Amino acid sequence: EYLIEWKEGIHSIKFVGFARIDQYDRRRTHGDIRELYWQTYNDDVDFSLGFNKVFWGKTESVHLVDIINQTDAVESFDGEAKLGEFMAQLTFPTSLGTMEIFYLPLFRKRVFAGRKGRLRPGDESDMVIDSRDFGFQANDGRWSPSVAARLSNYVGALDFGISYFHGTGREPIITDFSTFNSVYGLINQVGVELQVTTGSLLVKLESIYRANRFQDVFALAGGIEYTFGNVGGSGLDIGILSEYLYDDRDELALNGLQSDVFGGIRLGLNDVKDTQVLMGAIFDVNRTTDLYFIESSRRIGSSWKGVLEARIFQNVDPSEFTYFIRDDSFLQAAITKYF
């Protein structure tokens, strides 16, 4: 990561690069420009041009409205890792709130792991998901531009965002589930995100309606987070999270979240090492599928950081997309050095 600023920060250029070499799977061997953009401020107007990452969302277990960047599917199961997206972004204040407008001239396909990579179908399966086989609904393919806009503001305890996206959807549309035949369709998506903050209680909601020629999608995620602060005077914060997840695509939903309940606990020790732990589970209301997870991090010394992550799949229903990766429960450890 590298940042250059001049004219007292009015202009800046930021670069964040990423690369992975996988000793087993050449599809997981890849590099990416996560961020490389020029940004300038003029009064209250902010303009940036180049590769960038933009996050939208409020809920913990899934980010339905987060559509600007393509998911780096070989880096994270939960969709948190994103590819850098080339864009022009204009941000300015209005009487209704902060308006963001995006122009995205280039589409990036989602890449999946190969036969020797992770996460992948079980050893008994002959299916390998190859994104190179996915077609486009748009005649210009990956060069078909997309546009998006988001209005955000807060009123008292309510923090909200309303977004619109038109162009090639970042998620492939499955037209044949048995062969995973897919296409990147032209979509119109409206998203709403809400958060109400009342003391230690957060009430969160995300919802989208996505329309296209192949399938219309309605999905929502909503719930609460309550934090018990400084428990027993120890400095420990304990957050209790609960959310309900719904997606009317049923078994065609790539995230496997058709009608599910999420429950979790967030621990913050508030120590000098910034120790944090998030653990929880997602239970399918109508099927047997369960997903357990843990994410934790802690600083080591003055310039190191350790991260631990685990995902455990249990009793995955054969009708769900997650069934293809049911054997890929994993424990992952990482250590980072900061210079």
Side-chain angles (χ1 to χ4, degrees):
E1 178 176 334
Y2 194 69
L3 177 66
I4 304 173
E5 295 181 322
W6 66 97
K7 287 192 176 180
E8 298 180 344
I10 295 178
H11 298 278
S12 63
I13 294 177
K14 185 179 180 181
F15 168 74
V16 178
F18 174 86
R20 172 186 293 279
I21 298 176
D22 190 302
Q23 70 269 42
Y24 301 115
D25 182 13
R26 62 181 178 84
R27 293 190 186 175
R28 288 196 75 211
T29 296
H30 67 296
D32 182 46
I33 300 175
R34 296 299 204 220
E35 299 177 34
L36 179 57
Y37 63 90
W38 163 65
Q39 186 175 41
T40 184
Y41 298 93
N42 184 5
D43 294 329
D44 293 329
V45 179
D46 177 358
F47 177 77
S48 62
L49 179 66
F51 288 92
N52 204 348
K53 291 200 301 182
V54 175
F55 172 76
W56 298 345
K58 301 294 185 186
T59 55
E60 182 68 41
S61 53
V62 66
H63 305 303
L64 297 173
V65 301
D66 192 29
I67 193 174
I68 294 295
N69 292 81
Q70 179 61 275
T71 297
D72 191 342
V74 296
E75 286 304 318
S76 70
F77 166 76
D78 57 8
E80 296 288 343
K82 298 289 186 177
L83 297 174
E85 201 80 32
F86 190 84
M87 66 183 74
Q89 177 182 355
L90 180 65
T91 305
F92 55 93
T94 72
S95 59
L96 298 176
T98 300
M99 176 64 72
E100 301 170 90
I101 298 176
F102 301 84
Y103 177 75
L104 310 154
L106 173 65
F107 178 84
R108 305 189 66 184
K109 284 188 174 183
R110 185 175 301 190
V111 177
F112 298 89
R115 191 177 301 278
K116 295 182 179 181
R118 298 294 181 186
L119 303 173
R120 67 161 188 259
D123 292 335
E124 74 278 6
S125 174
D126 293 329
M127 188 189 77
V128 175
I129 303 172
D130 191 343
S131 60
R132 294 173 297 183
D133 296 335
F134 297 177
F136 290 93
Q137 181 184 352
N139 293 331
D140 294 333
R142 66 175 66 248
W143 294 102
S144 177
S146 301
V147 293
R150 179 176 182 264
L151 176 69
S152 60
N153 203 349
Y154 66 91
V155 179
L158 173 64
D159 183 359
F160 68 89
I162 303 172
S163 57
Y164 172 74
F165 178 93
H166 170 75
T168 301
R170 274 43 184 161
E171 190 175 74
I173 299 171
I174 304 173
T175 56
D176 186 340
F177 190 71
S178 62
T179 62
F180 207 79
N181 185 36
S182 302
V183 64
Y184 287 103
L186 293 171
I187 69 169
N188 290 285
Q189 175 176 302
V190 177
V192 176
E193 24 177 330
L194 305 172
Q195 178 172 297
V196 178
T197 304
T198 57
S200 300
L201 177 66
L202 301 178
V203 181
K204 307 177 182 182
L205 174 71
E206 288 188 34
S207 183
I208 62 169
Y209 178 75
R210 182 186 303 162
N212 61 74
R213 191 181 74 186
F214 302 97
Q215 58 181 207
D216 294 342
V217 179
F218 171 75
L220 65 83
I224 61 172
E225 178 175 354
Y226 188 87
T227 301
F228 299 91
N230 193 22
V231 177
S234 63
L236 172 66
D237 293 340
I238 301 178
I240 307 298
L241 302 93
S242 179
E243 294 176 354
Y244 174 71
L245 319 168
Y246 173 77
D247 191 316
D248 67 1
R249 286 175 295 178
D250 201 34
E251 68 269 11
L252 294 182
L254 292 184
N255 55 21
L257 305 175
Q258 305 90 357
S259 181
D260 298 67
V261 174
F262 160 76
I265 299 176
R266 190 197 311 276
L267 305 177
L269 271 61
N270 291 312
D271 56 348
V272 295
K273 301 298 184 183
D274 191 26
T275 305
Q276 300 184 38
V277 179
L278 174 64
M279 51 188 172
I282 297 176
F283 305 100
D284 196 305
V285 173
N286 301 318
R287 300 183 175 94
T288 60
T289 305
D290 300 329
L291 169 62
Y292 302 89
F293 70 90
I294 183 170
E295 301 172 359
S296 62
S297 63
R298 177 182 173 89
R299 285 205 300 266
I300 304 170
S302 60
S303 60
W304 295 83
K305 182 179 181 179
V307 176
L308 188 69
E309 178 182 357
R311 304 278 171 175
I312 301 174
F313 305 100
Q314 290 286 328
N315 306 315
V316 181
D317 191 281
S319 65
E320 295 191 16
F321 170 75
T322 316
Y323 186 76
F324 290 110
I325 56 175
R326 65 192 182 279
D327 295 328
D328 273 11
S329 296
F330 66 89
L331 174 66
Q332 175 175 294
I335 189 168
T336 305
K337 168 68 175 177
Y338 294 90
F339 298 92

